[in-house]
Amino acid sequence: MEYNDLIRTRESIRDYDPERPVSSDTLEKILEAGRIAPSACNYQPWEFLVIHSPEMLEKVRACYHRQWFKDAPHLLVVLGLKDKAWVRSYDRYNSIETDLAIVMTHLILAAENEGVGTCWIEAYDPAILAKALGLKENQVVFGITPLGYPREGFVKKGNKIRKKLEEIVRYL
Ligand SMILES: Cc1cc2nc3c(=O)[nH]c(=O)nc-3n(C[C@H](O)[C@H](O)[C@H](O)COP(=O)(O)O)c2cc1C
């Protein structure tokens, strides 16, 4: 899809067809888009977990109580490795959040390009998720999204409710 169409048509999807898994080819295209994302100093401080086995799905689904989240055939968890991210020498600012926001955006837009729905979730219970995934101390979840096709008959809203440019841009 052309980039301008892609960013305009992408919406958070909250209605998934549980019976329609995403093929491994398509999953790989999405993950590849994450792999090539830029990061500070090119440190790539991330790992992608594709949750797709019934046992892991059951455990991870417990972290967020929305039926549409539980309906998605796959969940993608994006982990940040804080100790692997670039740190600015002047003030010890750690670039992990910036790097991870970029990689999530790459993944989500690539999914949209494949017709696969996503919804970036942050309102999950981190303790349940950390336990389900057996996370180590340096691994931090930065985002989790369902990956799946919208249910048949699902219609996108098609309107982006956003602030106007005049409200957010200043030419100095
Ligand atoms: C960092 C981040 C966290 C979000 N967390 C949630 C969430 O926990 N649950 C949810 O339903 N949507 C969540 N969203 C989706 C936003 O509500 C959505 O992106 C926003 O309303 C704009 O709508 P759109 O994605 O359809 O354009 C999140 C989005 C972002 C970028």
Side-chain angles (χ1 to χ4, degrees), residues 10-12 14 64 68 119-123 160 162:
R10 186 215 52 80
E11 282 182 16
S12 294
R14 298 184 180 90
Y64 188 63
W68 51 265
C119 183
W120 188 331
I121 308 288
E122 278 196 339
K160 289 252 171 257
R162 299 290 194 264

Side-chain angles (χ1 to χ4, degrees), residues 5-24:
D5 295 333
L6 189 65
I7 57 172
R8 277 179 177 71
T9 54
R10 186 215 52 80
E11 282 182 16
S12 294
I13 302 298
R14 298 184 180 90
D15 192 9
Y16 294 92
D17 183 346
E19 307 301 334
R20 211 178 147 203
V22 181
S23 73
S24 46

